[in-house]
Amino acid sequence: MRQMDILDLTIVQLHEGFKKKQFTSVEVTKEYLGQIKKTDSKIHAFLTVTENLALEQAKKADEIIASGNDFPLLCGIPCSIKDAILVQGEKATAGSKMLENYVAPYDATVIKRLKEQGAVILGKTNLDEFAMGVSTENSAFKVTKNPHDLTKVSGGSSGGSAASVASKQAVFSLASDTGGSIRLPASFCGVVGLNPTYGAVSRHGLIAMASSLDQIGPIAKTIEDAKIVFDVISGKDSMDSTSADYKFETKEVSLKDLKIGVPKEYFAEGLDPQVEKIIKEAIKKAEDAGAKIVPISLSMTNYAIACYYIIVPSEVSANLARFDGIKYGKSQQDAPNLLDVYLKSRGVGFGVEPKRRILIGTYALSSGYYDAYYKKAQEIKELIKQDFAQSFEKVDVIFSPVSPIPAFNIGEKSSDPLAMYLMDIYTCPLKLAGLPALSIPAGRIGKLPVGLQIIGNYFEENTILSVASQLEKMLL
Amino acid sequence: MISKEEVLKIAKLARLELTEIEVEKMQKDLSSVLDYFDILKNAPKLKKQKEVKDKHQNNSLRMDEVITMPASLANNLIGLAPDKKEDYIKVKSIL
């Protein structure tokens, strides 16, 4: 089989190929490593390429495959991992100078599950520092370019993961989503991204940003691939007390008579008319296939960004307190006393965006401001939750754009933090409610892909995946 | 606009050293973000918190018992500390 063909294969196709001995995992892994070497000087998706680990895992996978017994779907499949997820013995920088030389002392639970399947880890992908951003421009190391147009951003914070899948440097990637960090880059790079229900996947071994929102999920070429990976990584884990006792089961949902909610607030001012056109065409295709389109209102939408950017920085100011120059990470040991070790290590280690969020969070939680900010935000969060709950009494799924605009120019927004925050307008409200949602390519503006967001009810990943897999064929 | 002194006070609370340039930048950035939060003043009030029973969430307490981990994990963790003595993390004296 020619190289180009191998890089185009899905998980099931590779699995069948392994079974029929058309190629080995080592051969496939080498193709991917070759593709990374060939393309990543332009794309900048990877922070570390774990070549030795990958080849060792591929060899092991080939032994399992050669034994003649049944083997798991992910056995021998090469993937990339967002650099905020720990892979034992490999660097995990979270895109920060603070963790520039940090080597993960253990595996994240999701990595353990991939390894149990025999998956092959090609490397660690770029992200905005501590997953704070929408473009990877906040990475302390490099900016990941959009594979469809190198002058544009890849989206963020999981830009490296999305770009690696879009440029055929990995079959799939594991990423994390706090306010849109899986779905936005998936939309910008033209791949599939799934943000699972809060609690569906263990976060043990994910470098925390905002623990009440962080979720790990897959970025993949197809809905089927995303589903296979989600099935493997989801479920209860004793190391994450928020993980739910939940077993994913495939469900076939017909588009016929499916009730699709379309929130009017998501098609208001600020939405690029060309994005709107693509999303409306996708909705029309679902309608043509028999779905009922139900106009709905999510009246709290306008308050979601402010709510989100109070809650997240508040949690950031607490979560990032662990980076103190004492236990691990950047340390200014030449400081004269303990307090100065803290001040200087954090001053040198953190980039601008983490500093900004730590300060906003500290401010919002400080005496005299707590009620006006944090408490208020918690109330809004509850109202947003109720907003969605009422909608899901009337509809099965909700369709919307992922982002108001397609991928923007590198540097275009980097001096305006608020403009960056506003990019989360369609992706963060459902996070505040803890709901699952995915991004699926729906069309293009010129070279730039545009994603459709499908939001589901709690733990109904199977519904949104089934709906998306039917649309996938129509949207091609 | 939020004052320089306020930024320095928050930065101290957050154990964050900022350069002169950063203080100025944060004054500007924080002010624009905090101004944006004013939008919440017009938001509706929460009347009643609805109890949502989640069938997937169990009691997350566990038994208070020792879970044995391999010694290599402890070594890996201690090994990351910038300053150590034998198996202990060394911290600057505080007294």
Side-chain angles (χ1 to χ4, degrees):
Chain A
M1 196 170 271
R2 286 180 307 120
Q3 179 206 341
M4 282 311 289
D5 295 335
I6 284 187
L7 298 178
D8 283 326
L9 298 179
T10 64
I11 293 172
V12 170
Q13 288 166 340
L14 284 167
H15 184 78
E16 290 303 317
F18 291 148
K19 243 191 213 167
K20 291 179 188 144
K21 313 242 178 291
Q22 287 171 327
F23 40 72
T24 65
S25 175
V26 168
E27 284 165 5
V28 173
T29 299
K30 282 184 176 165
E31 290 297 345
Y32 273 99
L33 288 168
Q35 174 76 353
I36 294 169
K37 280 198 187 111
K38 214 170 75 189
T39 57
D40 210 46
S41 56
K42 281 186 299 196
I43 307 285
H44 302 297
F46 284 85
L47 289 174
T48 314
V49 177
T50 54
E51 184 166 351
N52 291 341
L53 173 68
L55 289 171
E56 188 189 304
Q57 287 176 321
K59 225 177 120 200
K60 249 198 242 164
D62 281 334
E63 283 164 19
I64 296 168
I65 294 164
S67 74
N69 299 324
D70 278 352
F71 55 94
L73 273 172
L74 293 185
C75 185
I77 308 286
C79 64
S80 66
I81 309 290
K82 185 178 185 176
D83 208 24
I85 299 173
L86 306 193
V87 176
Q88 189 176 349
E90 303 294 341
K91 274 191 189 178
T93 68
S96 180
K97 292 270 181 212
M98 183 61 92
L99 294 175
E100 197 170 7
N101 299 309
Y102 175 76
V103 175
Y106 58 91
D107 276 327
T109 297
V110 288
I111 297 302
K112 260 191 201 152
R113 291 190 178 164
L114 287 189
K115 285 184 174 175
E116 280 160 16
Q117 287 253 323
V120 174
I121 295 168
L122 296 164
K124 307 293 296 292
T125 52
N126 194 25
L127 66 156
D128 287 296
E129 186 171 356
F130 287 104
M132 300 174 190
V134 296
S135 66
T136 77
E137 290 168 293
N138 293 336
S139 166
F141 305 109
K142 51 168 98 166
V143 177
T144 300
K145 311 286 194 313
N146 192 306
H148 303 279
D149 179 346
L150 298 176
T151 66
K152 308 283 182 189
V153 300
S154 55
S157 66
S158 318
S161 284
S164 72
V165 174
S167 50
K168 302 179 188 182
Q169 298 170 328
V171 180
F172 71 91
S173 190
L174 285 190
S176 65
D177 191 312
T178 305
S181 285
I182 287 176
R183 293 156 290 151
L184 185 74
S187 171
F188 280 7
C189 292
V191 291
V192 168
L194 171 68
N195 161 71
T197 309
Y198 186 74
V201 179
S202 165
R203 291 96 44 86
H204 175 63
L206 168 69
I207 295 170
M209 170 161 65
S211 305
S212 75
L213 303 160
D214 296 342
Q215 262 300 287
I216 295 175
I219 290 179
K221 291 181 212 169
T222 65
I223 291 289
E224 182 188 59
D225 283 1
K227 188 168 112 174
I228 291 167
V229 178
F230 175 66
D231 189 20
V232 169
I233 61 172
S234 57
K236 183 78 185 163
D237 173 25
S238 61
M239 299 300 280
D240 178 356
S241 63
T242 64
S243 67
D245 200 357
Y246 152 78
K247 176 81 192 85
F248 175 74
E249 275 167 27
T250 302
K251 182 167 124 187
E252 296 302 325
V253 181
S254 169
L255 276 178
K256 198 173 166 342
D257 295 328
L258 182 83
K259 293 196 273 310
I260 298 173
V262 179
K264 66 168 193 255
E265 291 82 359
Y266 287 42
F267 293 85
E269 205 195 320
L271 176 61
D272 180 303
Q274 288 176 287
V275 174
E276 178 170 4
K277 188 166 166 267
I278 289 169
I279 301 305
K280 291 227 161 124
E281 277 167 11
I283 294 170
K284 182 77 179 55
K285 280 180 183 158
E287 191 176 17
D288 291 345
K292 288 197 167 56
I293 308 303
V294 185
I296 57 168
S297 170
L298 295 166
S299 61
M300 295 300 294
T301 304
N302 263 341
Y303 307 111
I305 296 271
C307 170
Y308 179 84
Y309 278 99
I310 290 171
I311 290 177
V312 168
S314 297
E315 293 187 30
V316 162
S317 74
N319 264 334
L320 270 58
R322 74 190 70 189
F323 301 103
D324 56 3
I326 304 294
K327 302 182 286 293
Y328 50 81
K330 175 83 74 195
S331 183
Q332 298 298 102
Q333 287 287 318
D334 50 353
N337 56 51
L338 187 65
L339 179 63
D340 279 325
V341 173
Y342 295 154
L343 291 168
K344 289 185 191 304
S345 301
R346 292 163 64 77
V348 173
F350 290 131
V352 175
E353 186 59 23
K355 280 181 179 162
R356 202 181 277 132
R357 293 198 193 191
I358 289 170
L359 292 175
I360 294 170
T362 306
Y363 184 86
L365 293 174
S366 63
S367 169
Y369 295 103
Y370 179 85
D371 282 1
Y373 293 109
Y374 189 73
K375 191 160 169 264
K376 183 75 187 165
Q378 288 297 338
E379 283 181 21
I380 304 289
K381 182 183 176 186
E382 181 59 29
L383 287 165
I384 289 170
K385 221 169 154 180
Q386 293 179 7
D387 233 7
F388 278 103
Q390 279 160 14
S391 294
F392 277 112
E393 283 168 16
K394 290 178 280 193
V395 301
D396 303 306
V397 294
I398 295 171
F399 277 21
S400 85
V402 174
S403 149
I405 54 170
F408 49 88
N409 289 326
I410 291 168
E412 189 183 324
K413 294 178 191 287
S414 40
S415 60
D416 186 354
L418 196 57
M420 291 281 200
Y421 295 174
L422 293 172
M423 290 298 295
D424 289 330
I425 181 69
Y426 307 134
T427 49
C428 85
L430 65 99
K431 289 294 296 186
L432 293 163
L435 292 164
L438 58 80
S439 173
I440 173 179
R444 278 166 190 264
I445 301 171
K447 288 182 282 187
L448 297 175
V450 171
L452 165 74
Q453 179 167 253
I454 306 180
I455 309 169
N457 213 340
Y458 297 101
F459 296 101
E460 289 196 6
E461 280 82 358
N462 48 13
T463 302
I464 56 173
L465 287 164
S466 172
V467 169
S469 79
Q470 293 165 69
L471 277 172
E472 198 171 35
K473 293 163 202 131
M474 301 174 200
L475 294 172
L476 283 176
Chain B
M1 179 119 137
I2 181 168
S3 70
K4 192 179 160 186
E5 289 68 35
E6 257 181 304
V7 171
L8 288 170
K9 188 184 153 214
I10 306 161
K12 200 181 159 202
L13 281 173
R15 299 285 185 265
L16 207 53
E17 188 172 83
L18 299 178
T19 63
E20 278 286 331
I21 299 163
E22 280 178 324
V23 172
E24 256 177 60
K25 186 171 169 47
M26 290 302 166
Q27 256 185 286
K28 197 172 115 293
D29 289 357
L30 262 58
S31 298
S32 86
V33 173
L34 292 172
D35 284 347
Y36 179 74
F37 291 164
D38 281 345
I39 193 175
L40 294 184
K41 287 181 182 151
N42 307 320
K45 298 239 177 321
L46 178 67
K47 287 184 203 101
K48 209 178 116 218
Q49 190 111 2
K50 275 188 200 152
E51 237 357 273
V52 186
K53 186 92 182 112
D54 187 344
K55 64 176 169 149
H56 295 282
Q57 285 292 352
N58 294 328
N59 193 341
S60 55
L61 300 176
R62 62 169 172 82
M63 296 303 288
D64 184 16
E65 57 193 10
V66 176
I67 300 167
T68 8
M69 292 286 183
S72 60
L73 178 62
N75 287 338
N76 287 350
L77 292 171
I78 301 288
L80 290 164
D83 198 8
K84 51 195 167 287
K85 196 175 179 185
E86 291 157 16
D87 286 345
Y88 295 93
I89 294 173
K90 206 173 152 195
V91 185
K92 283 203 191 306
S93 64
I94 49 169
L95 290 174

